[in-house]
């Protein structure tokens, strides 16, 4: 396993630190992240790179593969992580120009977090919709630790129950998003048998979600064994191209998302899915996908957290599609 090296402390002419991870070197200038490795280099627009990096860090490398773009990304082995260039790019593979190194997950995440913190300026929030944040470009201008160290709210009981996480409202810094002004904010009536007032509860989940201030960031809101329901609000485009290592289901709760679906290994196009409210899709275990949301939309992502799944799919003991029509 290769070595992980922390930030070097020195800054370049634009005020940014450079980072090394094994044979990979990461530098940023006013517009781009510049990545190099033994035998190659790659340039990515820095706003795109930081949006992808934010998700990779916050999701602890997620399920399977996080392609930052067609060249660079990470594959999660749940303990270790592959960092690669060109590994899932048919052109790089054909010319034997791909490069991959394996690291400890925790060290890599710490380095990526340090890079994210150093490269994100005061007015840029990588989780925000582009129309709701300032620019990522230019020379170093302050920090935005509040945004890049954001933690999800953790509830011990159902949100809104006594002594736990309050429901989102206008008074606790959670206004309804500008694109969800039409979402009914009414709350359900609850009629509880005497003695159960502290145990029975209900709330308007569409109202709750309409007040989310982040995009493309699924949050676990119910966990039953390995079944995780993860709603999220989506605007503009999924900042990563996700390569699945298991089947994943989508339920379109509102508005519309357009998905590009490609072969996971090569990126060859496989399908386009235009999902409208009420549509349900199962994304196969051998694809990569990227979503595009012209207007802020509500999406329910249904994940299966069973840790034996990647191996079962890799060994073809399970079919990549869950349903045959
Ligand atoms: C996905 O890769 O399936 C995914 C990731 C983030 C989202 C939605 C879907 O917000
Ligand atoms: Fe996915």
């Amino acid at each position: 396993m290769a070595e992980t090296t922390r930030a070097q402390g020195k800054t370049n002419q634009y005020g940014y630190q450079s980072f090394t991870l094994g044979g990979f070197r990461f530098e940023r200038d006013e517009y781009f992240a510049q990545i190099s490795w033994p035998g190659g280099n790659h340039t990515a627009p820095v706003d795109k790179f930081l949006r992808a990096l934010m998700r990779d860090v916050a999701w602890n490398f997620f399920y399977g593969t996080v392609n930052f773009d067609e060249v660079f990304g990470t594959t999660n082995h749940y303990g270790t992580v592959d960092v690669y260039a060109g590994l899932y790019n048919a052109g790089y593979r054909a010319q034997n120009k791909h490069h991959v190194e394996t690291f400890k997950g925790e060290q890599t995440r710490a380095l990526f977090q340090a890079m994210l913190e150093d490269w994100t300026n005061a007015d840029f929030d990588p989780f925000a919709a582009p129309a709701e944040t300032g620019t990522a470009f230019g020379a170093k201008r302050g920090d935005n630790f509040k945004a890049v160290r954001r933690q999800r709210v953790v509830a011990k009981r159902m949100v809104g129950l006594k002594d736990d996480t309050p429901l989102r409202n206008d008074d606790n810094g959670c206004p309804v998003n500008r694109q969800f002004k039409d979402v009914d904010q009414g709350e359900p009536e609850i009629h509880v048998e005497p003695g159960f007032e502290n145990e029975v509860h209900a709330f308007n989940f569409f109202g709750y979600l309409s007040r989310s201030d982040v995009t493309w960031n699924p949050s676990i809101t119910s966990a039953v064994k390995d079944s995780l329901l993860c709603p999220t609000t989506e605007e503009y485009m999924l900042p990563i191209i996700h390569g699945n290592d298991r089947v994943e289901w989508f339920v379109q709760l509102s508005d519309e998302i357009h998905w590009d679906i490609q072969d996971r290994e090569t990126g060859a196009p496989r399908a386009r899915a235009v999902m409208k409210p009420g549509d349900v899709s199962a994304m196969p275990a051998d694809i990569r996908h990227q979503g595009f949301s012209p207007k802020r939309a509500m999406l329910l992502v249904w994940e299966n957290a069973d840790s034996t799944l990647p191996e079962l799919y890799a060994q073809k003991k399970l079919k990549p599609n869950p349903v045959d029509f």
Side-chain angles (χ1 to χ4, degrees):
M1 205 161 305
E3 277 298 296
T4 323
T5 315
R6 291 299 300 256
Q8 295 170 346
K10 275 190 359 221
T11 57
N12 65 13
Q13 73 227 71
Y14 310 105
Y16 297 107
Q17 294 179 40
S18 301
F19 298 83
T20 56
L21 177 63
F24 286 96
R25 185 171 171 81
F26 302 86
E27 286 165 280
R28 96 151 267 190
D29 54 36
E30 294 199 49
Y31 284 115
F32 300 107
Q34 308 279 4
I35 310 170
S36 55
W37 58 90
N41 53 72
H42 180 60
T43 304
V46 79
D47 60 329
K48 191 166 183 258
F49 182 82
L50 290 173
R51 288 189 176 104
L53 188 63
M54 177 84 252
R55 271 87 185 163
D56 213 20
V57 167
W59 305 345
N60 198 14
F61 306 117
F62 204 30
Y63 296 113
T65 294
V66 171
N67 296 285
F68 284 44
D69 56 22
E70 291 70 22
V71 175
F72 180 79
T74 60
T75 297
N76 196 354
H77 297 294
Y78 311 96
T80 66
V81 62
D82 292 344
V83 179
Y84 59 79
L87 187 65
Y88 300 101
N89 179 304
Y92 276 71
R93 291 297 294 257
Q95 299 298 320
N96 206 26
K97 283 288 183 191
H98 57 285
H99 181 78
V100 54
E101 295 181 40
T102 305
F103 303 99
K104 288 195 176 120
E106 261 168 52
Q107 289 176 3
T108 306
R109 194 176 182 204
L111 182 104
F112 279 10
Q113 178 73 38
M115 181 156 61
L116 181 65
E117 292 188 2
D118 188 68
W119 288 9
T120 302
N121 287 315
D123 48 355
F124 183 64
D125 179 350
F127 263 136
E132 296 185 342
T133 185
T135 179
F137 299 130
K140 180 82 175 156
R141 286 182 320 280
D143 302 297
N144 194 351
F145 297 138
K146 185 166 176 280
V148 297
R149 293 180 184 167
R150 178 193 293 270
Q151 298 286 329
R152 290 190 183 91
V153 176
V154 179
K156 293 190 286 295
R157 318 173 65 195
M158 188 191 228
V159 169
L161 268 173
K162 192 170 173 302
D163 301 327
D164 205 347
T165 320
L167 284 171
R168 293 172 174 156
N169 61 45
D170 290 340
D171 300 327
N172 58 20
C174 304
V176 176
N177 184 267
R178 75 196 199 291
Q179 297 206 325
F180 287 142
K181 293 287 187 215
D182 57 342
V183 174
D184 181 5
Q185 296 295 318
E187 292 295 337
E189 284 180 28
I190 310 164
H191 302 273
V192 188
E193 287 290 317
F196 293 92
E197 291 84 354
N198 190 29
E199 291 171 44
V200 178
H201 181 54
F203 66 93
N204 173 357
F205 191 73
F206 282 88
Y208 189 80
L209 208 50
S210 72
R211 296 170 182 273
S212 165
D213 62 346
V214 294
T215 60
W216 304 103
N217 188 31
S219 300
I220 301 168
T221 56
S222 97
V224 180
K225 297 188 180 165
D226 284 322
S227 167
L228 308 181
L229 290 179
C230 313
T232 158
T233 57
E234 320 296 48
E235 182 176 331
Y236 189 47
M237 57 200 254
L238 177 56
I240 62 157
I241 310 167
H242 179 220
N244 288 16
D245 66 3
R246 67 198 68 206
V247 170
E248 162 182 63
W249 293 76
F250 293 153
V251 181
Q252 188 73 33
L253 298 180
S254 84
D255 302 282
E256 199 168 297
I257 299 179
H258 301 203
W259 290 92
D260 267 351
I261 300 145
Q262 305 167 335
D263 180 79
R264 183 185 60 198
E265 303 301 315
T266 65
R270 273 186 53 180
R272 282 274 296 172
V274 177
M275 295 190 63
K276 307 203 172 182
D279 285 351
V280 177
S281 68
M283 294 284 168
D286 61 353
I287 58 99
R288 70 176 77 167
H289 54 199
Q290 184 170 32
F292 302 87
S293 186
K295 175 196 167 293
R296 207 173 188 92
M298 295 181 181
L299 174 70
L300 186 71
V301 180
W302 185 23
E303 293 284 359
N304 186 338
D306 182 343
S307 62
T308 65
L309 287 175
E311 190 62 20
L312 292 172
Y313 285 114
Q315 293 183 353
K316 304 212 183 322
K317 290 188 178 149
L318 285 174
K319 282 194 307 181
N321 57 312
V323 188
D324 284 313
F325 293 104

